[in-house]
Amino acid sequence: MSFYAAFGYKTYIKEGDACSDAPTDGTGMTEVKNLSNFALQSSSDTTDVQTYDDSAGGWAASVVTGNSYTVDCTLNIDMLDPGYLILKKAALESALGITVEWFRESPKPSGDCDTGLPISTAETHAGVAYVTNFSEDITAGNIAAVTFTLAGLNAYVWTAAATA
């Protein structure tokens, strides 16, 4: 079991294409084993807008013109792990339009500190992405690891944790 899984996080994937929708749960998907990192990063493109109105005092305003996300992942290599095999295939065939549908479930804490109610639904993130970078690091004396980047196709979907 990886450190990632020991904390209660689970990540599932399956092969997709540019027409795939973000999954709503992990049903029918393959859990990626041995993950040690799943870093979801969103970014926004901005354009500075200059105003000549005296009320702005000469300050520019940044306007968001676009959003994107990536997921940087690291896992210990298990060359027979079905999740690893799906990711490797998607990396090799991304130029052919192969994507991965991904779904990450966060651990459910014991309860809401403010209300005392138990958490009934875990926080989740899901999306569809291309595997754009894939690197295997096999160094003597270390655990062989693989890193890859998922480059998001459209927005990812976030579902907040909920109480019972």
Side-chain angles (χ1 to χ4, degrees):
M1 174 186 296
S2 71
F3 292 117
Y4 179 84
F7 288 117
Y9 290 91
K10 294 183 180 178
T11 299
Y12 302 91
I13 60 169
K14 82 177 204 183
E15 186 176 308
D17 59 37
C19 296
S20 294
D21 291 322
T24 57
D25 61 32
T27 304
M29 301 179 82
T30 300
E31 185 174 3
V32 181
K33 304 290 186 180
N34 296 316
L35 272 173
S36 60
N37 186 33
F38 190 88
L40 176 61
Q41 303 165 350
S42 64
S43 61
S44 299
D45 299 323
T46 60
T47 299
D48 285 343
V49 178
Q50 199 69 25
T51 180
Y52 298 101
D53 182 350
D54 287 341
S55 66
W59 288 93
S62 292
V63 176
V64 175
T65 57
N67 294 308
S68 62
Y69 77 89
T70 59
V71 183
D72 293 323
C73 304
T74 305
L75 61 98
N76 298 328
I77 294 178
D78 176 352
M79 295 177 191
L80 299 177
D81 174 49
Y84 167 81
L85 296 172
I86 291 169
L87 290 163
K88 182 105 179 196
K89 180 177 188 260
L92 292 169
E93 297 180 1
S94 61
L96 301 175
I98 301 299
T99 65
V100 290
E101 299 172 23
W102 62 271
F103 180 83
R104 186 189 79 189
E105 181 177 297
S106 299
K108 287 193 276 188
S110 59
D112 184 312
C113 293
D114 293 331
T115 65
L117 294 172
I119 303 294
S120 60
T121 307
E123 176 186 68
T124 64
H125 294 83
V128 178
Y130 288 103
V131 180
T132 58
N133 298 307
F134 197 96
S135 174
E136 292 180 356
D137 180 18
I138 303 171
T139 305
N142 291 334
I143 296 173
V146 61
T147 58
F148 53 91
T149 301
L150 303 180
L153 182 63
N154 300 316
Y156 66 88
V157 177
W158 169 66
T159 304
T163 57

